[in-house]
Amino acid sequence: MSDKNNKALKPGWRRVKFGDVVRLSKARSQDPLADGFDRYVGLEHLEPGDLRIRSWGNVADGVTFTSVFQPGQVLFGKRRAYQRKVAVADFSGVCSGDIYVLETKDAQVLLPELLPFICQTDAFFDHAVGTSAGSLSPRTNWTSLADFEFALPPIEEQAELVEVLRATESTIEAETNAVEISRVTRSALVEDALAANFSPEVAKPLGTYLTDLSYGSSSRSSYEEKGYPILRIPNVLRGRVDYSDLQHIELNDTEYERLALRKGDVLLVRTNGNPQYVGRSVVIHHLHEKTVYASYLIRIRCDDSTLRPAFLAEFLNAPTTRQRLRGEVKSSAGNYNINIAGIRKQPICAPNVVDQDALLLKLKDLDGAIEVLEARASAAKAIKKQLFAEMWGA
C-alpha cells in the first residue's frame, strides 16, 4: 500500500503517513486486577489473519502486562511481524508489550473501522517486517511504523469500503466458524463411537490387531530428485498425506523393501520437539509412486479383516487415545518420543468391520462437507485480498 510505484491517486485520495492519522496508545495499568481488568492478551492469543480475539488469559492467574486496550482499538503484534497478527478488541484488558495498541487520531479523517484492514494489507506487513530489527525475535518500532505511507480515500469512500470489507469479513468468519463446528462434530462422532464400544473388561491391546510396526529410515534425504520419495513429519501433520514438499533418498533394494509404503499403511509421528505432534497419525489412501518414510515416523500395519486402517488412524487421533499416548511420551535432548511398545499396549475395543465401515463412510461425507466450507472460506479471503489490491494496489 506504500506508493513506491508512484501510481496516480484516485480522485479525492491523498497520501498520508500512518503516524499522521493513527495514534499509539500509551495507557498503562500497574495493577490491572485492581483497575478492573479481568483479561489479558499475549501474542499467542492472536491468530494470523483473524481480526477476532478468540482466546485470552485471566488476569487473576497472574500477569506482568501493563499496556491497556479498550474495545474498538487495534492490537498489532510488533514482534515477528511476519506472523501477520492483527485484531480488533471487543473487550477491555491488558496486553503484552510486544503488542501495539493503535487507534485513529480523528474519526473524521480516518474511520476507526478501516484501521484494522489497513493493518492487514501486504504493504503494511512488508513495511513492518522490513523495519524490524533483531535476529531471533525481530521487532519493529513505532517510529518506523509511523513513517509508513499509504493512500487515504475521502471519508465517504472509507465508509463504503468499510461496509464491503465488513461484509467480506463476516463471510470469512461464518465459513471459518462452520469449519470449526464441523471439525468438532467430526471429533465427537469418533469419540462417541469409541466410547459406545469400549469396556475395560474386554479391551485388548492394540498390538493384537497389528501385523507390523517399524521405524523409518535415518539416512539423509534431500530435495535432489534422486532415489525414492520419502515422507517426513511435515508431510503427515495435517490429517492427510501432503505430497507437495517431498524429499528423496537413495536406497538399495533391500533397504527399499524394508521401508516401502503401500496403500493402507498408517504413519504415526514418534518424535518431535512439540509434544502435541507426537502420536499424530495418517492413513495412506494412495501413493503416486514408490515411496518410503523417515525415522521420526512409525509405520503401522493391521489385519484389515478385523481393523480397518482408516479406523486405526481415527482411533490413534482421537483425543482420548492421544491423552493416553501422552503418558507414554518421554523427553530426551529437547525432543519428545514414543516407542513401539507404548503403541502396542493401548487398549481398544474395535467394533466389527461393518460398524467401522459405516462410521468411516459418515466421516468421509463430513470431510467432503468440510472441504467445501474450507474452499468457500478461501474464496472469501481471495475476494478480500482482491479488494485490497483494487483499493491500494497491495
Side-chain angles (χ1 to χ4, degrees), residues 139-156:
R139 293 173 172 82
T140 188
N141 57 66
W142 172 244
T143 300
S144 297
L145 285 183
D147 281 338
F148 172 66
E149 292 187 5
F150 66 98
L152 183 68
I155 199 71
E156 297 82 6

Side-chain angles (χ1 to χ4, degrees), residues 182-198 310-321 349 351 356 359-360 362-364 366-367:
S182 297
R183 286 175 176 163
V184 171
T185 301
R186 188 190 193 285
S187 179
L189 196 61
V190 175
E191 286 287 356
D192 288 347
L194 294 175
N197 206 64
F198 187 80
F311 185 87
L312 170 59
E314 297 295 344
F315 167 77
L316 291 169
N317 286 323
T320 51
T321 307
C349 291
Q356 291 180 40
L359 174 64
L360 293 172
K362 290 180 182 178
L363 295 176
K364 183 178 180 180
L366 190 52
D367 287 339

